[in-house]
């Protein structure tokens, strides 16, 4: 699948979701159950995107030895749908973490996997001691990690997060930029005004600028709209991405079958409103 083909899908239908997780990483259902949920939701295009193998220990990421199993199961399910003449098309993707320049979407290992598409995401931030620390997940763990691994230096964590996003954009090797500002969800628990600070806005401006120059699709991630009341990237930045001519894709980052279409219609409604206002 080419980037052009991904764009054709997102501009021709809203019945898609290219970000989901199953038993091969931190999802809560097997792949086949997620397929049934996608069918029930009327999806025409559905992609699997397990968290990639990484060179550090992580309970959320798939192991390198399970990659072959994942690909075989995706192929089996693709064939089942083809035999049943189903309108739903399945795609093999992967959400690839950027840990460092030597462990990022652009390296040969990920490029050589037989995948249909790749999501580039940042979940880990390198501490002042050079240790990658998971800054995703629930706030209490983030708060603990900030204190124990980052000397309680919130600005350092946020700046290093965006540094990794920007380096990943420069390095390439992926089609979709995943939840570009996800660090803000936990960071705002420490500093509620962080997203209004000039230095933070400058970092997001850089993400918009570099996304436009590299030609990636930017994901609007709807997973946290209910529990955290926000999308990634934050709604305040959508107009900037649109004005920069950056293609947007709405994904639910589903970890459970009931989340297949979670928050997506709300996001599309807001996008429609933005586009109408710009006319």
């Amino acid at each position: 699948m080419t980037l052009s083909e991904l764009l054709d899908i997102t501009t021709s239908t809203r019945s898609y979701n290219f970000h989901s997780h199953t038993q091969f990483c931190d999802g809560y259902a097997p792949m086949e159950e997620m397929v049934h949920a996608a069918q029930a939701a009327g999806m025409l295009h559905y992609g699997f995107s397990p968290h990639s193998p990484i060179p550090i220990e992580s309970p959320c990421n798939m192991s390198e030895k399970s990659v072959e199993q994942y690909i075989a199961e995706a192929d089996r399910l693709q064939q089942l749908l083809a035999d049943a003449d189903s309108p739903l098309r399945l795609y093999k993707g992967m959400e690839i973490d950027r840990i460092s320049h030597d462990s990022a979407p652009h390296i040969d290992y990920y490029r050589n996997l037989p995948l249909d598409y790749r999501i580039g995401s940042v979940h880990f931030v390198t501490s002042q001691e050079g240790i990658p620390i998971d800054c995703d997940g629930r706030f209490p763990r983030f708060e603990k990690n900030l204190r124990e691994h980052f000397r309680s230096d919130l600005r350092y964590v946020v700046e290093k997060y965006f540094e990794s996003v920007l380096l990943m954009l420069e390095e390439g090797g992926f089609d979709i930029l995943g939840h570009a500002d996800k660090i803000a969800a936990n960071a705002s628990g420490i500093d509620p005004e962080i997203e209004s600070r000039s230095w933070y806005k400058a970092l997001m401006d850089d993400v918009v600028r570099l996304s436009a120059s590299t030609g990636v699709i930017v994901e609007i991630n709807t997973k946290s709209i209910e529990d955290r009341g926000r999308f990634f990237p934050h709604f305040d930045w959508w107009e900037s991405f649109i004005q920069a001519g950056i293609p947007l894709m709405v994904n639910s980052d589903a970890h459970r079958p009931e989340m297949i279409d979670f928050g997506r219609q709300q996001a599309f409604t807001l996008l429609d409103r933005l586009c109408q206002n710009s006319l």
Side-chain angles (χ1 to χ4, degrees), residues 85-156:
D85 200 24
S86 170
L88 175 63
R89 290 196 60 188
L90 298 181
Y91 303 87
K92 297 188 295 286
M94 187 173 285
E95 184 177 13
I96 303 173
D97 270 295
R98 187 189 189 278
I99 306 297
S100 67
H101 179 73
D102 296 322
S103 180
H106 72 282
I107 67 171
D108 287 345
Y109 171 74
Y110 297 122
R111 285 182 181 272
N112 292 333
L113 291 175
L115 301 172
D116 296 310
Y117 67 96
R118 294 157 178 82
I119 301 173
S121 294
V122 174
H123 300 92
F124 294 81
V125 174
T126 303
S127 72
Q128 292 92 331
E129 284 72 36
I131 302 169
I133 303 296
D134 189 351
C135 287
D136 194 31
R138 301 200 175 277
F139 177 72
R141 185 180 65 170
F142 175 81
E143 189 177 34
K144 182 174 183 286
N145 283 340
L146 179 67
R147 184 176 61 255
E148 295 182 356
H149 297 285
F150 294 103
R151 308 171 194 168
S152 297
D153 190 340
L154 182 64
R155 181 163 175 172
Y156 171 88

Side-chain angles (χ1 to χ4, degrees), residues 16-19 119 176 219-223 249-254 260 262 264:
Y16 67 80
N17 186 10
F18 285 97
H19 193 156
I119 301 173
I176 304 162
E219 168 191 81
I220 294 175
N221 188 301
T222 65
K223 175 187 174 184
M249 168 188 285
V250 180
N251 291 323
S252 74
D253 196 351
I260 285 289
F262 189 79
R264 295 181 68 256

Side-chain angles (χ1 to χ4, degrees), residues 40 48 60 114 231:
F48 301 106
C60 296
F231 299 102

Side-chain angles (χ1 to χ4, degrees), residues 17 34 50 70 79 81 96-97 101 114 128 142 175 194 270:
N17 186 10
M34 300 296 276
Y70 156 63
Q79 190 59 52
L81 292 189
I96 303 173
D97 270 295
H101 179 73
Q128 292 92 331
F142 175 81
D175 309 290
I194 193 165
L270 291 170

